[in-house]
């Protein structure tokens, strides 16, 4: 299992090597090797009470060839030169797992002995990704996530874009969720109530005039979904963010992510029994 902790380090930039984030030097071989030890690269251990991820469009036919192209064309993460790039990548033949890092800079203002000064600070931010034959799953910091799509496009020569959900998909998710915990809608301009956060069935609010059928957009919807991981709180945003509310320490693998994506987008919801026993040797459900 892989322990996903997106820790960040604050570094003061005083032009000395002692004040630079400690990251091992990486050569080309290191960029395509995974240092996780005796673990399964298709599993994620959720350390908190929720797990958020996004999906990017990319279809792969030959995973080994794609991994080779990535190793040859990718830019390595170099914190000393502030160069964003890939690190800790690996391939098991069925998927590619890795991380993408960048240096985030900011200048906080300080008051020292009656003098206002600024100091340049740096922080390492990173995201993790899984490249599957059908799509790319990304989780972690949003900054490097945005750069990752361009980096993959340049390295593989394929167009990689974030997958967003249109209104038919959002309506489909709403109807499939068992209990609606929250739904954020945006009415048309002629409605005096432009934006509302609701819960329960939409039909009840339509009768009160809060919204008019087929004249509103769903920005996000959250509710209880019956999945191979058990009953979880699923939140879907039209911009493409998917959040799973689960128990701490739950193990999620790529098959679970595929099932969640099909639950959201497929014309026919996938059956739960098709995935039972597929999460790990000791499944939590």
């Amino acid at each position: 299992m892989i322990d996903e902790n997106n820790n960040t380090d604050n570094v003061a930039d005083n032009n000395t090597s002692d004040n630079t984030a400690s990251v091992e030097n990486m050569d080309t071989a290191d960029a395509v090797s995974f240092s996780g030890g005796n673990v399964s690269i298709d599993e994620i251990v959720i350390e908190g009470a929720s797990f958020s991820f996004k999906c990017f469009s990319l279809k792969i036919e030959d995973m080994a060839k794609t991994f080779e192209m990535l190793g040859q064309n990718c830019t390595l993460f170099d914190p000393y030169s502030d160069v964003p790039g890939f690190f800790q990548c690996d391939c098991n033949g069925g998927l590619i797992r890795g991380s993408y890092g960048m240096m985030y800079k900011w200048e906080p203002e300080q008051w020292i002995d009656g003098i206002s000064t600024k100091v340049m600070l740096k922080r390492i931010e990173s995201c993790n990704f899984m490249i599957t034959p059908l799509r790319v799953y990304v989780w972690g910091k949003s900054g490097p996530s945005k750069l990752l799509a361009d980096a993959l496009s340049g390295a593989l020569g394929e167009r990689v874009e974030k997958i967003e959900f249109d209104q038919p998909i959002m309506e489909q998710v709403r109807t499939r969720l068992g209990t609606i915990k929250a739904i954020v809608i945006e009415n048309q301009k002629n409605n005096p109530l432009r934006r509302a956060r609701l819960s329960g069935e939409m039909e009840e609010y339509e009768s009160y005039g809060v919204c008019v059928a087929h004249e509103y957009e769903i920005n996000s919807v959250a509710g209880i979904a019956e999945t191979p991981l058990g009953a979880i709180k699923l939140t879907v945003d039209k911009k493409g963010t998917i959040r799973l509310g689960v128990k701490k320490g739950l193990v999620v693998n790529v098959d679970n992510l595929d099932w969640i994506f099909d639950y959201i987008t497929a014309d026919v919801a996938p059956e739960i029994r098709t995935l039972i026993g597929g999460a790990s040797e000791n499944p939590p459900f």
Side-chain angles (χ1 to χ4, degrees):
M1 300 178 189
I2 297 175
D3 185 359
E4 293 302 333
N5 292 320
N6 286 313
N7 295 327
T8 58
D9 297 323
N10 291 343
V11 183
D13 186 7
N14 292 326
N15 297 323
T16 62
S17 59
D18 293 338
N19 291 323
T20 306
S22 177
V23 178
E24 293 181 359
N25 292 327
M26 296 176 291
D27 54 21
T28 304
D30 291 327
V32 291
S33 64
F34 183 72
S35 61
N38 187 21
V39 295
S40 176
I41 69 172
D42 67 340
E43 291 183 333
I44 306 167
V45 179
I46 301 177
E47 290 299 318
S50 65
F51 173 66
S52 299
F53 65 96
K54 300 176 183 178
C55 306
F56 289 76
S57 61
L58 178 66
K59 291 188 177 181
I60 302 297
E61 296 182 357
D62 190 335
M63 195 65 64
K65 182 178 179 181
T66 301
F67 185 57
E68 182 180 357
M69 291 179 59
L70 186 63
Q72 292 174 350
N73 302 326
C74 72
T75 301
L76 304 184
F77 176 45
D78 186 358
Y80 305 108
S81 302
D82 296 340
V83 176
F86 295 86
F87 65 97
Q88 288 188 342
C89 299
D90 195 11
C91 177
N92 67 353
L95 63 86
I96 299 173
R97 173 75 173 268
S99 302
Y100 192 89
M102 62 172 287
M103 297 299 294
Y104 176 79
K105 302 178 182 179
W106 78 102
E107 295 183 62
E109 188 172 0
Q110 298 180 343
W111 184 263
I112 301 176
D113 297 332
I115 301 176
S116 177
T117 62
K118 289 186 178 181
V119 58
M120 172 70 74
L121 298 179
K122 296 182 182 180
R123 179 175 69 228
I124 296 176
E125 292 190 348
S126 65
C127 67
N128 304 284
F129 63 88
M130 283 186 183
I131 301 177
T132 71
L134 298 177
R135 65 192 66 89
V136 183
Y137 297 110
V138 181
W139 64 98
K141 295 292 185 179
S142 60
S145 298
K146 297 176 182 179
L147 298 180
L148 173 63
D150 294 335
L152 287 174
S153 298
L156 303 179
E158 300 285 346
R159 188 173 183 178
V160 180
E161 293 182 322
K162 187 177 71 171
I163 298 176
E164 299 184 352
F165 306 122
D166 55 19
Q167 286 307 300
I169 294 296
M170 297 298 292
E171 282 285 356
Q172 179 174 270
V173 175
R174 181 183 71 85
T175 58
R176 288 179 178 175
L177 292 174
T179 302
I180 302 297
K181 294 292 186 179
I183 179 170
V184 179
I185 66 169
E186 186 172 338
N187 289 314
Q188 294 184 352
K189 294 182 179 180
N190 57 359
N191 193 313
L193 183 62
R194 291 297 308 279
R195 186 180 176 91
R197 181 182 179 90
L198 315 173
S199 64
E201 298 297 329
M202 292 295 298
E203 291 73 16
E204 298 179 4
Y205 294 98
E206 291 174 1
S207 62
Y208 288 111
V210 175
C211 56
V212 180
H214 310 299
E215 293 187 4
Y216 61 84
E217 288 189 356
I218 299 177
N219 286 350
S220 66
V221 58
I224 304 301
E226 294 293 337
T227 75
L229 299 170
I232 66 172
K233 181 179 179 182
L234 174 65
T235 304
V236 181
D237 184 274
K238 71 176 184 179
K239 294 297 185 181
T241 301
I242 303 171
R243 177 179 296 174
L244 310 179
V246 297
K247 294 182 179 180
K248 182 178 180 179
L250 182 68
V251 178
V252 178
N253 71 359
V254 67
D255 291 332
N256 301 136
L257 301 183
D258 287 339
W259 194 97
I260 295 294
F261 185 84
D262 291 340
Y263 179 86
I264 295 171
T265 61
D267 294 335
V268 179
E271 297 181 359
I272 295 179
R273 66 173 182 267
T274 60
L275 200 58
I276 291 181
S280 65
E281 295 180 357
N282 298 307
F285 49 86

mmCIF file with all atom_site columns, all heavy atoms in Angstrom, residues 23-31 76-79 86-88:
data_model
loop_
_atom_site.group_PDB
_atom_site.id
_atom_site.type_symbol
_atom_site.label_atom_id
_atom_site.label_alt_id
_atom_site.label_comp_id
_atom_site.label_asym_id
_atom_site.label_entity_id
_atom_site.label_seq_id
_atom_site.pdbx_PDB_ins_code
_atom_site.Cartn_x
_atom_site.Cartn_y
_atom_site.Cartn_z
_atom_site.occupancy
_atom_site.B_iso_or_equiv
_atom_site.pdbx_formal_charge
_atom_site.auth_seq_id
_atom_site.auth_comp_id
_atom_site.auth_asym_id
_atom_site.auth_atom_id
_atom_site.pdbx_PDB_model_num
ATOM 1   N N   . VAL A 1 23 ? 15.968 17.513 -1.190  1.00 0.00 ? 23 VAL A N   1
ATOM 2   C CA  . VAL A 1 23 ? 15.423 16.532 -2.113  1.00 0.00 ? 23 VAL A CA  1
ATOM 3   C C   . VAL A 1 23 ? 16.587 15.835 -2.786  1.00 0.00 ? 23 VAL A C   1
ATOM 4   O O   . VAL A 1 23 ? 17.529 16.477 -3.236  1.00 0.00 ? 23 VAL A O   1
ATOM 5   C CB  . VAL A 1 23 ? 14.527 17.204 -3.184  1.00 0.00 ? 23 VAL A CB  1
ATOM 6   C CG1 . VAL A 1 23 ? 14.005 16.162 -4.154  1.00 0.00 ? 23 VAL A CG1 1
ATOM 7   C CG2 . VAL A 1 23 ? 13.377 17.929 -2.517  1.00 0.00 ? 23 VAL A CG2 1
ATOM 8   N N   . GLU A 1 24 ? 16.534 14.518 -2.871  1.00 0.00 ? 24 GLU A N   1
ATOM 9   C CA  . GLU A 1 24 ? 17.627 13.765 -3.455  1.00 0.00 ? 24 GLU A CA  1
ATOM 10  C C   . GLU A 1 24 ? 17.787 14.119 -4.926  1.00 0.00 ? 24 GLU A C   1
ATOM 11  O O   . GLU A 1 24 ? 16.819 14.339 -5.656  1.00 0.00 ? 24 GLU A O   1
ATOM 12  C CB  . GLU A 1 24 ? 17.363 12.269 -3.321  1.00 0.00 ? 24 GLU A CB  1
ATOM 13  C CG  . GLU A 1 24 ? 17.388 11.763 -1.882  1.00 0.00 ? 24 GLU A CG  1
ATOM 14  C CD  . GLU A 1 24 ? 17.154 10.269 -1.806  1.00 0.00 ? 24 GLU A CD  1
ATOM 15  O OE1 . GLU A 1 24 ? 16.955 9.680  -2.875  1.00 0.00 ? 24 GLU A OE1 1
ATOM 16  O OE2 . GLU A 1 24 ? 17.186 9.726  -0.700  1.00 0.00 ? 24 GLU A OE2 1
ATOM 17  N N   . ASN A 1 25 ? 19.065 14.186 -5.369  1.00 0.00 ? 25 ASN A N   1
ATOM 18  C CA  . ASN A 1 25 ? 19.325 14.427 -6.774  1.00 0.00 ? 25 ASN A CA  1
ATOM 19  C C   . ASN A 1 25 ? 18.782 13.263 -7.585  1.00 0.00 ? 25 ASN A C   1
ATOM 20  O O   . ASN A 1 25 ? 18.887 12.106 -7.202  1.00 0.00 ? 25 ASN A O   1
ATOM 21  C CB  . ASN A 1 25 ? 20.829 14.576 -7.020  1.00 0.00 ? 25 ASN A CB  1
ATOM 22  C CG  . ASN A 1 25 ? 21.369 15.844 -6.405  1.00 0.00 ? 25 ASN A CG  1
ATOM 23  O OD1 . ASN A 1 25 ? 20.662 16.844 -6.351  1.00 0.00 ? 25 ASN A OD1 1
ATOM 24  N ND2 . ASN A 1 25 ? 22.595 15.814 -5.937  1.00 0.00 ? 25 ASN A ND2 1
ATOM 25  N N   . MET A 1 26 ? 18.172 13.564 -8.730  1.00 0.00 ? 26 MET A N   1
ATOM 26  C CA  . MET A 1 26 ? 17.564 12.539 -9.560  1.00 0.00 ? 26 MET A CA  1
ATOM 27  C C   . MET A 1 26 ? 18.180 12.602 -10.942 1.00 0.00 ? 26 MET A C   1
ATOM 28  O O   . MET A 1 26 ? 18.337 13.663 -11.523 1.00 0.00 ? 26 MET A O   1
ATOM 29  C CB  . MET A 1 26 ? 16.056 12.752 -9.659  1.00 0.00 ? 26 MET A CB  1
ATOM 30  C CG  . MET A 1 26 ? 15.331 12.610 -8.335  1.00 0.00 ? 26 MET A CG  1
ATOM 31  S SD  . MET A 1 26 ? 13.588 12.973 -8.492  1.00 0.00 ? 26 MET A SD  1
ATOM 32  C CE  . MET A 1 26 ? 13.635 14.735 -8.813  1.00 0.00 ? 26 MET A CE  1
ATOM 33  N N   . ASP A 1 27 ? 18.552 11.442 -11.472 1.00 0.00 ? 27 ASP A N   1
ATOM 34  C CA  . ASP A 1 27 ? 18.975 11.360 -12.857 1.00 0.00 ? 27 ASP A CA  1
ATOM 35  C C   . ASP A 1 27 ? 17.831 10.773 -13.674 1.00 0.00 ? 27 ASP A C   1
ATOM 36  O O   . ASP A 1 27 ? 16.734 10.583 -13.200 1.00 0.00 ? 27 ASP A O   1
ATOM 37  C CB  . ASP A 1 27 ? 20.254 10.533 -13.014 1.00 0.00 ? 27 ASP A CB  1
ATOM 38  C CG  . ASP A 1 27 ? 20.118 9.155  -12.378 1.00 0.00 ? 27 ASP A CG  1
ATOM 39  O OD1 . ASP A 1 27 ? 18.947 8.707  -12.191 1.00 0.00 ? 27 ASP A OD1 1
ATOM 40  O OD2 . ASP A 1 27 ? 21.137 8.535  -12.079 1.00 0.00 ? 27 ASP A OD2 1
ATOM 41  N N   . THR A 1 28 ? 18.091 10.462 -14.961 1.00 0.00 ? 28 THR A N   1
ATOM 42  C CA  . THR A 1 28 ? 17.029 9.958  -15.822 1.00 0.00 ? 28 THR A CA  1
ATOM 43  C C   . THR A 1 28 ? 16.478 8.646  -15.311 1.00 0.00 ? 28 THR A C   1
ATOM 44  O O   . THR A 1 28 ? 15.271 8.395  -15.369 1.00 0.00 ? 28 THR A O   1
ATOM 45  C CB  . THR A 1 28 ? 17.567 9.784  -17.256 1.00 0.00 ? 28 THR A CB  1
ATOM 46  O OG1 . THR A 1 28 ? 18.100 11.018 -17.700 1.00 0.00 ? 28 THR A OG1 1
ATOM 47  C CG2 . THR A 1 28 ? 16.452 9.336  -18.197 1.00 0.00 ? 28 THR A CG2 1
ATOM 48  N N   . ALA A 1 29 ? 17.316 7.779  -14.773 1.00 0.00 ? 29 ALA A N   1
ATOM 49  C CA  . ALA A 1 29 ? 16.841 6.493  -14.268 1.00 0.00 ? 29 ALA A CA  1
ATOM 50  C C   . ALA A 1 29 ? 15.908 6.676  -13.081 1.00 0.00 ? 29 ALA A C   1
ATOM 51  O O   . ALA A 1 29 ? 14.917 5.961  -12.939 1.00 0.00 ? 29 ALA A O   1
ATOM 52  C CB  . ALA A 1 29 ? 18.031 5.622  -13.867 1.00 0.00 ? 29 ALA A CB  1
ATOM 53  N N   . ASP A 1 30 ? 16.217 7.657  -12.237 1.00 0.00 ? 30 ASP A N   1
ATOM 54  C CA  . ASP A 1 30 ? 15.371 7.886  -11.072 1.00 0.00 ? 30 ASP A CA  1
ATOM 55  C C   . ASP A 1 30 ? 13.985 8.362  -11.468 1.00 0.00 ? 30 ASP A C   1
ATOM 56  O O   . ASP A 1 30 ? 13.015 8.142  -10.756 1.00 0.00 ? 30 ASP A O   1
ATOM 57  C CB  . ASP A 1 30 ? 16.011 8.922  -10.144 1.00 0.00 ? 30 ASP A CB  1
ATOM 58  C CG  . ASP A 1 30 ? 17.260 8.397  -9.470  1.00 0.00 ? 30 ASP A CG  1
ATOM 59  O OD1 . ASP A 1 30 ? 17.319 7.188  -9.188  1.00 0.00 ? 30 ASP A OD1 1
ATOM 60  O OD2 . ASP A 1 30 ? 18.166 9.202  -9.247  1.00 0.00 ? 30 ASP A OD2 1
ATOM 61  N N   . ALA A 1 31 ? 13.881 9.050  -12.615 1.00 0.00 ? 31 ALA A N   1
ATOM 62  C CA  . ALA A 1 31 ? 12.589 9.577  -13.034 1.00 0.00 ? 31 ALA A CA  1
ATOM 63  C C   . ALA A 1 31 ? 11.612 8.475  -13.408 1.00 0.00 ? 31 ALA A C   1
ATOM 64  O O   . ALA A 1 31 ? 10.417 8.683  -13.414 1.00 0.00 ? 31 ALA A O   1
ATOM 65  C CB  . ALA A 1 31 ? 12.774 10.522 -14.221 1.00 0.00 ? 31 ALA A CB  1
ATOM 66  N N   . LEU A 1 76 ? 12.494 16.491 -15.385 1.00 0.00 ? 76 LEU A N   1
ATOM 67  C CA  . LEU A 1 76 ? 12.604 16.058 -14.001 1.00 0.00 ? 76 LEU A CA  1
ATOM 68  C C   . LEU A 1 76 ? 12.402 17.232 -13.046 1.00 0.00 ? 76 LEU A C   1
ATOM 69  O O   . LEU A 1 76 ? 12.792 18.364 -13.339 1.00 0.00 ? 76 LEU A O   1
ATOM 70  C CB  . LEU A 1 76 ? 13.971 15.430 -13.749 1.00 0.00 ? 76 LEU A CB  1
ATOM 71  C CG  . LEU A 1 76 ? 14.378 14.253 -14.632 1.00 0.00 ? 76 LEU A CG  1
ATOM 72  C CD1 . LEU A 1 76 ? 15.708 13.693 -14.187 1.00 0.00 ? 76 LEU A CD1 1
ATOM 73  C CD2 . LEU A 1 76 ? 13.311 13.181 -14.645 1.00 0.00 ? 76 LEU A CD2 1
ATOM 74  N N   . PHE A 1 77 ? 11.793 16.946 -11.924 1.00 0.00 ? 77 PHE A N   1
ATOM 75  C CA  . PHE A 1 77 ? 11.588 17.968 -10.905 1.00 0.00 ? 77 PHE A CA  1
ATOM 76  C C   . PHE A 1 77 ? 12.929 18.314 -10.261 1.00 0.00 ? 77 PHE A C   1
ATOM 77  O O   . PHE A 1 77 ? 13.640 17.456 -9.744  1.00 0.00 ? 77 PHE A O   1
ATOM 78  C CB  . PHE A 1 77 ? 10.621 17.439 -9.842  1.00 0.00 ? 77 PHE A CB  1
ATOM 79  C CG  . PHE A 1 77 ? 10.425 18.382 -8.686  1.00 0.00 ? 77 PHE A CG  1
ATOM 80  C CD1 . PHE A 1 77 ? 10.229 19.739 -8.882  1.00 0.00 ? 77 PHE A CD1 1
ATOM 81  C CD2 . PHE A 1 77 ? 10.426 17.898 -7.386  1.00 0.00 ? 77 PHE A CD2 1
ATOM 82  C CE1 . PHE A 1 77 ? 10.044 20.602 -7.829  1.00 0.00 ? 77 PHE A CE1 1
ATOM 83  C CE2 . PHE A 1 77 ? 10.235 18.744 -6.314  1.00 0.00 ? 77 PHE A CE2 1
ATOM 84  C CZ  . PHE A 1 77 ? 10.043 20.099 -6.529  1.00 0.00 ? 77 PHE A CZ  1
ATOM 85  N N   . ASP A 1 78 ? 13.281 19.617 -10.329 1.00 0.00 ? 78 ASP A N   1
ATOM 86  C CA  . ASP A 1 78 ? 14.540 20.093 -9.765  1.00 0.00 ? 78 ASP A CA  1
ATOM 87  C C   . ASP A 1 78 ? 14.245 21.278 -8.844  1.00 0.00 ? 78 ASP A C   1
ATOM 88  O O   . ASP A 1 78 ? 14.118 22.410 -9.301  1.00 0.00 ? 78 ASP A O   1
ATOM 89  C CB  . ASP A 1 78 ? 15.495 20.505 -10.877 1.00 0.00 ? 78 ASP A CB  1
ATOM 90  C CG  . ASP A 1 78 ? 16.871 20.880 -10.348 1.00 0.00 ? 78 ASP A CG  1
ATOM 91  O OD1 . ASP A 1 78 ? 17.064 20.850 -9.111  1.00 0.00 ? 78 ASP A OD1 1
ATOM 92  O OD2 . ASP A 1 78 ? 17.757 21.206 -11.161 1.00 0.00 ? 78 ASP A OD2 1
ATOM 93  N N   . PRO A 1 79 ? 14.126 21.042 -7.545  1.00 0.00 ? 79 PRO A N   1
ATOM 94  C CA  . PRO A 1 79 ? 13.799 22.144 -6.627  1.00 0.00 ? 79 PRO A CA  1
ATOM 95  C C   . PRO A 1 79 ? 14.904 23.177 -6.518  1.00 0.00 ? 79 PRO A C   1
ATOM 96  O O   . PRO A 1 79 ? 14.647 24.333 -6.187  1.00 0.00 ? 79 PRO A O   1
ATOM 97  C CB  . PRO A 1 79 ? 13.556 21.431 -5.297  1.00 0.00 ? 79 PRO A CB  1
ATOM 98  C CG  . PRO A 1 79 ? 14.336 20.164 -5.394  1.00 0.00 ? 79 PRO A CG  1
ATOM 99  C CD  . PRO A 1 79 ? 14.278 19.757 -6.832  1.00 0.00 ? 79 PRO A CD  1
ATOM 100 N N   . PHE A 1 86 ? 8.557  15.680 -13.206 1.00 0.00 ? 86 PHE A N   1
ATOM 101 C CA  . PHE A 1 86 ? 8.143  14.381 -12.702 1.00 0.00 ? 86 PHE A CA  1
ATOM 102 C C   . PHE A 1 86 ? 9.173  13.818 -11.728 1.00 0.00 ? 86 PHE A C   1
ATOM 103 O O   . PHE A 1 86 ? 10.363 14.133 -11.793 1.00 0.00 ? 86 PHE A O   1
ATOM 104 C CB  . PHE A 1 86 ? 7.981  13.395 -13.864 1.00 0.00 ? 86 PHE A CB  1
ATOM 105 C CG  . PHE A 1 86 ? 6.883  13.747 -14.822 1.00 0.00 ? 86 PHE A CG  1
ATOM 106 C CD1 . PHE A 1 86 ? 7.112  14.619 -15.881 1.00 0.00 ? 86 PHE A CD1 1
ATOM 107 C CD2 . PHE A 1 86 ? 5.617  13.205 -14.678 1.00 0.00 ? 86 PHE A CD2 1
ATOM 108 C CE1 . PHE A 1 86 ? 6.107  14.937 -16.774 1.00 0.00 ? 86 PHE A CE1 1
ATOM 109 C CE2 . PHE A 1 86 ? 4.604  13.519 -15.567 1.00 0.00 ? 86 PHE A CE2 1
ATOM 110 C CZ  . PHE A 1 86 ? 4.847  14.379 -16.611 1.00 0.00 ? 86 PHE A CZ  1
ATOM 111 N N   . PHE A 1 87 ? 8.694  12.972 -10.813 1.00 0.00 ? 87 PHE A N   1
ATOM 112 C CA  . PHE A 1 87 ? 9.593  12.208 -9.948  1.00 0.00 ? 87 PHE A CA  1
ATOM 113 C C   . PHE A 1 87 ? 8.850  10.981 -9.424  1.00 0.00 ? 87 PHE A C   1
ATOM 114 O O   . PHE A 1 87 ? 7.615  10.951 -9.405  1.00 0.00 ? 87 PHE A O   1
ATOM 115 C CB  . PHE A 1 87 ? 10.132 13.069 -8.799  1.00 0.00 ? 87 PHE A CB  1
ATOM 116 C CG  . PHE A 1 87 ? 9.096  13.544 -7.822  1.00 0.00 ? 87 PHE A CG  1
ATOM 117 C CD1 . PHE A 1 87 ? 8.867  12.877 -6.629  1.00 0.00 ? 87 PHE A CD1 1
ATOM 118 C CD2 . PHE A 1 87 ? 8.337  14.683 -8.093  1.00 0.00 ? 87 PHE A CD2 1
ATOM 119 C CE1 . PHE A 1 87 ? 7.920  13.322 -5.716  1.00 0.00 ? 87 PHE A CE1 1
ATOM 120 C CE2 . PHE A 1 87 ? 7.381  15.137 -7.188  1.00 0.00 ? 87 PHE A CE2 1
ATOM 121 C CZ  . PHE A 1 87 ? 7.178  14.453 -5.998  1.00 0.00 ? 87 PHE A CZ  1
ATOM 122 N N   . GLN A 1 88 ? 9.596  9.974  -9.043  1.00 0.00 ? 88 GLN A N   1
ATOM 123 C CA  . GLN A 1 88 ? 9.063  8.733  -8.480  1.00 0.00 ? 88 GLN A CA  1
ATOM 124 C C   . GLN A 1 88 ? 7.970  8.132  -9.350  1.00 0.00 ? 88 GLN A C   1
ATOM 125 O O   . GLN A 1 88 ? 6.829  7.957  -8.928  1.00 0.00 ? 88 GLN A O   1
ATOM 126 C CB  . GLN A 1 88 ? 8.538  8.960  -7.063  1.00 0.00 ? 88 GLN A CB  1
ATOM 127 C CG  . GLN A 1 88 ? 9.625  9.184  -6.035  1.00 0.00 ? 88 GLN A CG  1
ATOM 128 C CD  . GLN A 1 88 ? 9.095  9.224  -4.608  1.00 0.00 ? 88 GLN A CD  1
ATOM 129 O OE1 . GLN A 1 88 ? 7.909  9.416  -4.400  1.00 0.00 ? 88 GLN A OE1 1
ATOM 130 N NE2 . GLN A 1 88 ? 9.974  9.044  -3.641  1.00 0.00 ? 88 GLN A NE2 1
#
